[in-house]
Amino acid sequence: MNLSITSAVSVACSQQKLLSTSVIPPNPKVVALEWVYVENLLALGIQPIGVADIAGYNKYVNIAPKLVDSVIEVGTRQEPNLEAIAKIKPDLIIGVKQRHEAIDQTLSAIAKTLLFDPYPELNAGNQLTRMQQIFLEIARVCHKTSVGESVLQSMQTSFATNAEKLDAIKLTDSPFVLCQFVPEFRLFNNNSMAVQILTQIGLRNIWQGELERFGFNTVGLEALLTIEHAHFFYIAETQASVQSLQRNPVWQSLEFVREQRLHALGEDTWIFGGPLSAQILAQKAVAALQQFLNG
């Protein structure tokens, strides 16, 4: 999918105010209040000057390039430190509507502010498309249009390469489920960006939970009985949650457990991210399936 800057602007118009590039200097000083926009800036070659919850970002978002040590902590994603943000005098602040709309006026008094909504309403577009549109809009505002388009082209090339690898091992159209332990089970449905990425490379999601705006359903262990014939990709925030499951007889009886179709993607596989995280998810899923075949 190739998205133009025109389409990026159209989604921004439908969500929020637009910023002219004339009000943002080249090489802007940017504060990012949500991890996906930290990743987006780094993908564009921009080191943010301030980031919310740096330790969490470094733990859960494993992409290159990395944040430099000089980046300033500006509170949490839920409660940004407004004084810290004002002190470093950014040119631009980027946040997410769900968390930061209530403080939009205060943020805008500090610097030009963009608040995005990465979760389209049902039947109003999909998360993977929205992610690319927002990425291109950030690129436009930061005077990095050509870089942004190149990054997205690289992402599409990566998807095609991984689709070819999947075809080579004859696992195209293989059924899968994606789960996050937090510690309850989040099963991702077809409305999620992560599932849309794995579908693009040729896998088939068989979790048919009710479509939900954020893209996942929180379920109990018994729900896994209906999808036990799939490849089960999972992301666990703690090993303790996995270890407790291993002692559960229902878990032990599941077909994907018994047949070793259980694939850990690692806690630092960020499935709510940008184009670099999207590539990593596709790569890890294919690598897990290759390892499964090789025993």
Side-chain angles (χ1 to χ4, degrees):
M1 179 191 311
N2 291 319
L3 291 169
S4 67
I5 287 297
T6 301
S7 65
V9 172
S10 69
V11 72
C13 285
S14 69
Q15 297 180 91
Q16 55 161 65
K17 61 196 174 191
L18 279 175
L19 289 182
S20 167
T21 54
S22 65
V23 302
I24 303 296
N27 304 311
K29 297 184 295 181
V30 188
V31 165
L33 303 180
E34 188 67 24
W35 294 341
V36 59
Y37 307 132
V38 179
E39 174 186 331
N40 285 354
L41 291 167
L42 293 173
L44 292 169
I46 300 169
Q47 281 284 342
I49 62 167
V51 166
D53 190 2
I54 294 173
Y57 175 86
N58 288 333
K59 179 178 181 180
Y60 293 114
V61 188
N62 185 12
I63 57 111
K66 304 295 185 183
L67 283 172
V68 295
D69 292 340
S70 60
V71 176
I72 303 297
E73 178 84 50
V74 292
T76 67
R77 293 179 297 161
Q78 293 81 4
E79 296 185 6
N81 185 325
L82 299 174
E83 290 184 1
I85 296 170
K87 186 176 181 180
I88 57 179
K89 299 180 179 178
D91 300 308
L92 176 66
I93 301 167
I94 306 177
V96 64
K97 284 183 114 178
Q98 285 85 348
R99 298 190 201 273
H100 308 127
E101 194 166 31
I103 58 171
D104 185 21
Q105 284 190 339
T106 307
L107 292 171
S108 296
I110 297 171
K112 300 297 182 183
T113 299
L114 287 173
L115 300 184
F116 293 106
D117 183 356
Y119 303 105
E121 296 291 345
L122 296 179
N123 303 316
N126 68 57
Q127 290 184 21
L128 181 57
T129 298
R130 176 67 61 85
M131 178 272 283
Q132 295 175 81
Q133 291 170 324
I134 292 172
F135 178 74
L136 286 177
E137 174 61 3
I138 292 172
R140 182 191 70 83
V141 169
C142 293
H143 307 271
K144 296 283 188 178
T145 295
S146 61
V147 177
E149 291 175 337
S150 177
V151 169
L152 290 188
Q153 185 57 57
S154 294
M155 182 187 75
Q156 293 297 335
T157 299
S158 173
F159 289 169
T161 298
N162 281 288
E164 290 170 1
K165 290 179 180 179
L166 204 60
D167 185 59
I169 59 177
K170 302 189 186 318
L171 285 181
T172 299
D173 201 43
S174 292
F176 80 93
V177 173
L178 177 64
C179 177
Q180 186 181 40
F181 301 150
V182 289
E184 68 273 15
F185 299 101
R186 285 180 177 176
L187 297 186
F188 286 80
N189 58 52
N190 290 331
N191 197 48
S192 73
M193 179 171 63
V195 165
Q196 290 157 9
I197 291 165
L198 296 178
T199 299
Q200 277 218 359
I201 67 171
L203 296 172
R204 176 169 49 90
N205 181 37
I206 65 164
W207 172 248
Q208 298 299 318
E210 182 179 355
L211 291 184
E212 192 271 344
R213 187 181 177 200
F214 295 102
F216 59 82
N217 309 108
T218 302
V219 302
L221 179 60
E222 67 281 355
L224 305 186
L225 295 168
T226 65
I227 45 89
E228 61 180 336
H229 59 289
H231 286 275
F232 190 87
F233 298 106
Y234 73 91
I235 299 165
E237 291 194 1
T238 67
Q239 282 304 305
S241 58
V242 180
Q243 290 167 357
S244 64
L245 272 177
Q246 290 170 346
R247 298 188 292 269
N248 187 303
V250 176
W251 176 260
Q252 293 171 358
S253 72
L254 291 170
E255 185 180 315
F256 59 69
V257 176
R258 290 186 286 106
E259 297 186 1
Q260 298 182 340
R261 283 182 276 105
L262 189 63
H263 312 299
L265 298 179
E267 68 174 8
D268 59 355
T269 304
W270 189 238
I271 50 178
F272 304 100
L276 303 185
S277 288
Q279 292 178 62
I280 289 171
L281 172 62
Q283 291 163 4
K284 285 190 172 183
V286 171
L289 292 174
Q290 290 172 325
Q291 185 176 4
F292 165 74
L293 286 184
N294 293 332

